[in-house]
């Protein structure tokens, strides 16, 4: 739905330029220039848009559930690592950008879902996604959120990023995380408690064309990802009136489980060893979270997470 909205917004902007309303396009470009830094400064959320009825139907379609395993003290700031990316990160959007679930389960905390900065360059669409509580995934943006002295802020970062979406096959449990330590450094610099989050069912929403590592398709996708900054998985699911082919995600339940916080003391200049140690602890807690809950959501006993 968001991607279709983005295409509509860009198309609408082109119509303004080519039509007799070019002056509106010029005014908007001026606004864009003046407002350029807002996605890195906490965004501009709208509770009205976050509460639209359409999001209720969106969550109920799969359905999407948010599961709490531990209290999060609103006097602290938190960095939630979301796994896995999946194709469209439906669980992250449904749980942290729409509806009352997060607010009810974690009162006093305001969630900020960090996404690729490129989306905030899309005319009109940027206003829409900011209104839902999304902000840039840049270092400046994460620092702005976690620098709240009174606590009560929660940065949600999809750790695997665009690269991990290329592994989003049904049944896949491969996470791109071993070399991703920037979020650990940010947590240390701001003293933000780390919270692992695993979204069961995220990879089951679409079927992706086979792209094993080393294949010509995977090589092309990885090169395109390096050039454009985002991946292009070739996926399909179901149609409106048939289940054999289409772009509508399959109706598979998503259970997003929020783990217990890992206390982090503020360290403005963490050493490589300190970052590595906290990263190892985070991996341990993430694996533990997965193992404790996998039986509840249909994961076979012999299946485990693969870190690469």
């Amino acid at each position: 739905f968001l991607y279709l909205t983005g295409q509509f917004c860009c198309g609408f902007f082109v119509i303004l330029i080519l039509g007799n309303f070019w002056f509106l396009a010029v005014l908007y470009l001026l606004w864009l220039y003046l407002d350029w830094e807002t996605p890195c400064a906490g965004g501009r959320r709208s509770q009205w848009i976050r509460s639209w009825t359409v999001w209720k139907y969106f969550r109920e379609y799969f359905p999407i559930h948010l599961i709490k395993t531990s209290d999060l003290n609103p006097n602290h700031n938190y960095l939630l690592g979301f796994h896995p990316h999946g194709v469209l990160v439906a669980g992250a959007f449904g749980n942290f950008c729409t509806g009352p679930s997060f607010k009810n389960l974690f009162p006093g905390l305001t969630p900020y879902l960090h996404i690729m900065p490129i989306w905030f360059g899309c005319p009109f669409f940027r206003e829409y996604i900011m209104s839902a509580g999304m902000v840039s995934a840049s270092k400046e943006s994460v620092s702005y959120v976690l620098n709240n002295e009174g606590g009560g802020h929660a940065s949600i970062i999809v750790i695997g990023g665009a690269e991990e979406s290329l592994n989003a096959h049904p049944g896949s449990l491969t996470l791109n995380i071993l070399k991703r330590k920037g979020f650990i450094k940010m947590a240390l610099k701001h003293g933000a408690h780390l919270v692992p989050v695993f979204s069961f069912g995220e990879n089951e929403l679409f079927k992706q064309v086979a792209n094993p590592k080393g294949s010509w398709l995977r090589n092309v996708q990885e090169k395109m990802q390096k050039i454009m900054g985002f991946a292009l998985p070739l996926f399909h699911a179901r149609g409106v009136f048939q289940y054999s082919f289409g772009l509508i995600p399959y109706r598979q339940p998503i259970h997003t489980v929020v783990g217990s916080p890992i206390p982090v003391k503020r360290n403005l200049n963490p050493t490589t060893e300190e970052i590595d140690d906290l990263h190892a602890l985070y991996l341990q807690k993430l694996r533990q979270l997965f193992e404790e809950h996998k039986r509840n959501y249909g994961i076979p006993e012999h299946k485990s997470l693969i870190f690469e």
Side-chain angles (χ1 to χ4, degrees), residues 166-182:
L166 299 178
N167 290 328
H169 297 272
S172 174
L173 295 172
T174 300
L175 303 181
N176 292 71
I177 192 173
L178 291 181
K179 295 181 180 180
R180 295 179 180 266
K181 300 179 182 179

Side-chain angles (χ1 to χ4, degrees), residues 252-263:
Q252 297 289 338
I254 298 173
H255 294 88
T256 303
V257 184
V258 180
S260 300
I262 303 170

Side-chain angles (χ1 to χ4, degrees), residues 61 205 207 236-251:
Y61 170 79
L205 307 184
K207 291 180 179 177
H236 68 89
R238 53 162 290 185
V240 178
F241 301 111
Q242 45 78 28
Y243 290 84
S244 57
F245 189 81
L247 294 179
I248 298 176
Y250 291 115
R251 240 183 143 170

Side-chain angles (χ1 to χ4, degrees), residues 16 66 101 137 219 236:
L16 287 181
L66 186 65
S101 294
N219 291 335
H236 68 89

Side-chain angles (χ1 to χ4, degrees), residues 5-6 8-17 21-39 44 118-131:
T5 305
F8 173 80
C9 290
C10 290
F12 180 68
F13 185 71
V14 171
I15 292 174
L16 287 181
I17 295 176
F21 303 98
W22 58 268
F23 62 94
L24 292 178
V26 172
L27 288 175
Y28 182 79
L29 287 175
L30 176 61
W31 162 256
L32 192 62
Y33 173 77
L34 296 173
D35 194 58
W36 189 254
E37 296 299 325
T38 301
R44 187 171 46 247
I118 189 174
W119 294 116
F120 296 98
C122 180
F124 299 113
F125 184 60
R126 69 187 296 275
E127 323 300 337
Y128 177 57
I129 56 179
M130 275 197 291
S131 68

Side-chain angles (χ1 to χ4, degrees), residues 273-284:
E273 183 179 359
E274 289 171 331
I275 293 173
D276 289 345
D277 288 345
L278 184 55
H279 185 261
L281 177 60
Y282 179 86
L283 294 183
Q284 176 187 332

